[in-house]
Amino acid sequence: MPRPLRLTIWNEYIHELEHDSVRALYPSGIHTVLADAISGLLGDRIQIRIATFEQEEHGLTYEALAETDVLTWWGHAAHDRVSDEVVQRVHTRVLNGMGLIALHSAHNSKIFKRLMGTTCMLRWREAAEKERVWIVDPSHPIAQGLTDEYFEIPHSEMYGEHFDVPQPDELFAISWFEGGEVFRSGCTWRRGKGKVVYFSPGHETFPIYHDANVQRIIANAVTWAAPTGGLYLGKGRNIPQSLSPIAAKHVVDESLHRPK
Amino acid sequence: MPRPLRLTIWNEYIHELEHDSVRALYPSGIHTVLADAISGLLGDRIQIRIATFEQEEHGLTYEALAETDVLTWWGHAAHDRVSDEVVQRVHTRVLNGMGLIALHSAHNSKIFKRLMGTTCMLRWREAAEKERVWIVDPSHPIAQGLTDEYFEIPHSEMYGEHFDVPQPDELFAISWFEGGEVFRSGCTWRRGKGKVVYFSPGHETFPIYHDANVQRIIANAVTWAAPTGGLYLGKGRNIPQSLSPIAAKHVVDESLHRPK
Amino acid sequence: MPRPLRLTIWNEYIHELEHDSVRALYPSGIHTVLADAISGLLGDRIQIRIATFEQEEHGLTYEALAETDVLTWWGHAAHDRVSDEVVQRVHTRVLNGMGLIALHSAHNSKIFKRLMGTTCMLRWREAAEKERVWIVDPSHPIAQGLTDEYFEIPHSEMYGEHFDVPQPDELFAISWFEGGEVFRSGCTWRRGKGKVVYFSPGHETFPIYHDANVQRIIANAVTWAAPTGGLYLGKGRNIPQSLSPIAAKHVVDESLHRPK
Amino acid sequence: MPRPLRLTIWNEYIHELEHDSVRALYPSGIHTVLADAISGLLGDRIQIRIATFEQEEHGLTYEALAETDVLTWWGHAAHDRVSDEVVQRVHTRVLNGMGLIALHSAHNSKIFKRLMGTTCMLRWREAAEKERVWIVDPSHPIAQGLTDEYFEIPHSEMYGEHFDVPQPDELFAISWFEGGEVFRSGCTWRRGKGKVVYFSPGHETFPIYHDANVQRIIANAVTWAAPTGGLYLGKGRNIPQSLSPIAAKHVVDESLHRPK
C-alpha cells in the first residue's frame, strides 16, 4: 500500500477566537471542520497535520513543509502579518512539488499572489445571498463524486468578476450569485512542479465548510494536487560540454562570465 | 493619426562599459542597437526613451513609467542590485497595461520572476554554437515579416530546457541548438492588463542584436504588447448593493469585517 | 491607407421569412441589422457582403470566400441542410487565415463543431429572462469601448453550462442568467492561421442584435479576427535534405514510402 | 482492488505484412511490441485487446469500444480507407471519456484530425538521424519514471515544425533532430470527457517501439488518459423550468422552436 498523502491544513484561526458569530459555526476552528471532513472522505489515504498563524513560524517550519505533500490555506485578517520568510519557504516548496489549495479569502494571501504574479483582486459583497456553483469541467478529477451539474449554497459571501489572476490552466467551476455576479470559483494552475488550486466557496460567517459538496471538492483538490515525482531543477545549470558536436567554435571571452 | 507608441528601452549597460569584447560589438550599448533597429522598422509609429541601471531610480521613475507604453528589459550582471521599489513600480505598471519585453538574460530579472511566480531557471552554455529559431506559430503577429519558417544565428549562447516558467499563453518560437538542446525561445503571457513577451536570442558577446530577424521579432513584440484600453480594477471592491434582488437576507454580523 | 477589411455576414435567413414575431424584430433579416451596426461602428475600415442559405452554394462560393477576411455565421433551423462541400470550403479557408465569428445558435453549426472537434452542446431555456454579460478579460481587444464591467440584456434566451467545447484560448465573457445558470458567452480559439470567436448573446425572437453593447462586441470581434499574414503550410512536406549535417546515415528502405 | 484498465491497441498492421524491412523489426506487428511493453510495465493494472485494420469494422465495433477505456492508434498506409462510420464511433466514444493515444503517423489519421479540427500536417524526413527527446514538463505524470531530462533515439524519422494543431493544453516533450528541426513531440488535449495524447517518436522502419523510454512514456500516457467519471451531457437540453425565479416573463412565441 502506498504511504498516505501528508496534508497540512493551515488556518489563520483568528476570527473563530475573536467573534462569537464565527465561533458558533466553527467552535474548534475552520481547520477542524476541514480536517474531519477530509479525513472522513479519504480515510487511510490521508494523514493530517494542523498549523495556525499563532504557532511559531506559523507552524510552517522547514521540517514541517518538507513532510507536507499538500497544503491548504485559509487566511483573512492577518495576511499582512504572515512572515515573508515563511512565504518564501512555502513558495519554494510549491515549486518543488507541494500542492497548494487556496481557499476563499486566501485569494489575497501573500503566497497566492506570489504564485500568480497579479493582484488577485475581486468584487465582494456579504449579503447572505444564494450561490449556485456550476461545474464547467464535469470530468475534471476535482469534480468527481458530485451528483449534479451544480450545487447550491443557501447563504454565501459574493465573490465576483473581474478576478485578476492569470488565465487558469483549467477552470472547473463558475459560480452564479443571486445578487447578479458571476465568478470563476474553481481554478487550477501549475507552478514549477507544484499544482495550485483556488476554490472560493467558504466563509467564516456562514457554515459553508459544513457543506458536503464543498467538502467533496476540497478533498478531491487535495488528492489532485498531490506531488508527482520527476526531475525538476529550478536553478541555472551551466552545461559546458555539448551533447552533440559543435562544428566551428567561435572565440568566447570567458573572462566576463560569472555564475548565474 | 494616432499618437506614437512610447517605448522605453531599459539596458543594464554594464558589460559594454567593462568588457572590451562586448564594447566591440555594442560600442554605444545594446540599447542603442535596439533603438536604431526598432526606430528603423517602426518609424513614426514609435517614440523611444532609454533608461539604464546607473541612472537615478534606474531611469524608471514613476513619471517615466507613466509615460511608457512598452518597456524592453535587458539585464544580466546586476539583477540583484535592481531596487525592489523600482521592481514593485514596474510590476504595478505592467498589471495596469504596460507591455514588457524580457530579453535574453532578463529571464533571471526580478521583474520577470515576479510576473511569472516561478524560478525561470534554465540550462545554458556559451560555446558560440549555431541556433536555429523555428517559428511554431506562423500567423502570430510577432512573427510577421519573417520570410521563412526558421532563421539561423551562427553563434549563440545556448539556453536550454527545462525552462521553469508557467506554460505560456502562446508559444511562438522554439530554438534548436547545434550542441543538442531545445528551448522555448519565444513565449507570451498576460498578467493583469499587461502583455509579457520573453524572447531569448540575444547575448552581449555575440552580435545577435544586429541580426535583422531578431530585430524584426523585437519590433513586432513591442507593437504587439502595446496597451489596450478597457476597464481594469485590480483592487478589492465591496459592492454592498446587489444588482439583482436577493430574496431572503440572512443576518450578517457586520462587526467583524474590515476593509480588504 | 490600408484596404478595408472584407467581411461576409452569413445569415440563414429562414426564421425572419417564416415567423411574424421574428420579422417584427428583424424585418430585413438579422444580417441587415448586423451590417448596419458594424458599418456604423467601423465605417471605411470595413466592406460588407451578405450571404444567405438560399443563395447558390449558400452564397459561399470559392471566389466569395477567397475575397473574405472575416465571416460571421448565424444559423439555427437549417444546420443540417448546409452543404458539406461548403462546410469543407469554409473550414479550409479558416485554417488559411479567415476569421470566423460564430453567433448564438451557430454553436450547433457544422462549421463550428468541425473546428472544435466536440459536440458544442449546452443547456437552454427560452423564458425571456434577464442576461447580464460580465467581461472577465477587460483588456481584451474584443471588450474595448464598453463602458462598464458588465451589461444587461433585459430579455434573452438562456444558454447554460455545461458547454461542450475545448477550453477556450481566451475567455472574455461569462453570462449570468436570472433563472440561475451561467455560461461562457465569449470565447476565442485559434485553428490553423484562423481566429475563431464564439459569442452567444443574440436570438431571433428578442431584439438583442439591436443592442449597442452586443453590436460593439461583434464589431470588435470582426476586427480582432482579421487575418494576419505569415507563412502557413498545412500540408505535409518531405524535406529530404537536412539543414545540419547528419553524422551516420542508417540504411533506410526507400521502397515502402508513399507520399503523405 | 480496482478493475484493470481496459486498453485496446489499434494497429493498421499493413507495413509489417508487406515489407521485409518492417517485419524484421516487428515480426508480430507493432501492436505486439506495444502490448508486451505495456503489459510488462503495468502488469495486473492493464487488460489488453488488439484490433487491426483488416478485422471486421477494423476491430472497433460498438461493443469493443464500449469496453475500452483507452485506445492507442497507429496507422499510416490506410488512413483514407478507415471507415467513416468507425471514425464517428471512436469520436463519440472519446467525447464520452475514452482516452486516445495517437502515435507517430497517426497525426494524419481521420480520428486525430477530427478531434483537432486542423490539418495536423508537419515536415518530415526519413534519414535515420538522431532524435533527442527533451522533457519540458518534468513533473507531468506522462514523464514519470524517466531518469534524465532527455533521452536519445539513435535513428529516427524526423517530424518537424510547423505542426498544425491547436495549441496543446499541455506540452510535455520537444524533440531535437540532428538534421536541424524541432518538434512538439509530446502533447495533450482534452475533448469532451476524453483525454487525447499525441506522441511522435515511433516509426515502422526503426526499432523505436523497442526503446525503454518510449515504452515508458506510452504506458504512462495510457494510465494518464484513463477515463474519469463525472456527469457529461454532450447533447442539447431544454430546461423550461428555471432554477431561480424570473421576474417579468416576456411573451415568447413558442410556435417557432424545434428541438435542437
Side-chain angles (χ1 to χ4, degrees), chain A residues 207-218:
Chain A
I208 295 174
Y209 289 121
H210 294 280
D211 180 274
N213 290 304
V214 169
Q215 292 175 351
R216 165 64 67 184
I217 285 180
I218 295 172

Side-chain angles (χ1 to χ4, degrees), chain C residues 1 3 22 62 64 82 109 111 121 124 134 138 147 176 195 215 230:
Chain C
M1 205 186 94
R3 70 161 172 72
V22 180
Y62 181 88
V82 172
S109 62
I111 180 61
M121 284 296 110
W124 87 93
W134 286 91
T147 53
W176 175 100
K195 299 192 189 78
Q215 293 175 352

Side-chain angles (χ1 to χ4, degrees), chain C residues 39 150 157 195 232:
Chain C
S39 180
Y150 65 87
E157 184 185 36
K195 299 192 189 78
Y232 174 78

